[in-house]
Amino acid sequence: QVQLVESGGGSVQAGGSLRLSCAASGVTMGSYFMAWFRRPPGKEREGVTVISPGGATTYYSDSVKGRFTISRDNAANTLYLQMNSLKPEDTAMYYCALGSKWPGSTWYIEGLYRYWGQGTQVTVSS
């Protein structure tokens, strides 16, 4: 069965960096688009960024554009999220998700994703 396992979360001070990973098993990741979502405390889950199956196309939410970078290593079946210049408002549970039909600019719609990881917590202190 398909499993997505996130890692790399933790606590960091504002201005710091973290790199999240999402390891996929039971699936050939290169056939699917993948995304990172997050759920801040007390708020709805929101889309952070998405990457096309081959990695050529990415979209970012306005709140992370210029600070976060999504990448993928299809040979290693792993998705990454490099987070720089972290802010307290980036505090959230971060989830990776996998979808099969590239949606383009509507990538942030949760119903497009078939599989989800359990999440990794990121806490940014001021």
Side-chain angles (χ1 to χ4, degrees):
Q1 79 242 30
V2 177
Q3 279 194 316
L4 303 176
V5 179
E6 302 94 338
S7 61
S11 296
V12 63
Q13 288 193 324
S17 298
L18 283 174
R19 188 192 197 203
L20 305 184
S21 299
C22 171
S25 60
V27 65
T28 301
M29 205 178 80
S31 300
Y32 300 89
F33 70 97
M34 298 193 73
W36 289 97
F37 284 73
R38 67 185 182 186
R39 188 194 302 274
K43 297 185 179 180
E44 297 290 316
R45 189 159 55 185
E46 61 185 22
V48 176
T49 178
V50 67
I51 188 167
S52 59
T57 304
T58 58
Y59 289 97
Y60 294 89
S61 68
D62 288 343
S63 61
V64 306
K65 202 172 295 182
R67 300 187 298 120
F68 290 12
T69 302
I70 189 171
S71 62
R72 63 192 298 161
D73 183 343
N74 287 339
N77 250 22
T78 304
L79 176 73
Y80 301 100
L81 181 64
Q82 178 66 45
M83 305 186 294
N84 298 329
S85 302
L86 282 160
K87 304 175 181 180
E89 51 263 43
D90 294 318
T91 294
M93 184 71 79
Y94 283 73
Y95 302 87
C96 64
L98 181 150
S100 57
K101 188 175 180 182
W102 176 244
S105 60
T106 58
W107 61 272
Y108 50 86
I109 298 174
E110 292 190 28
L112 296 170
Y113 297 86
R114 185 174 180 184
Y115 298 104
W116 293 80
Q118 293 300 304
T120 186
Q121 178 68 38
V122 171
T123 303
V124 184
S125 58
S126 57

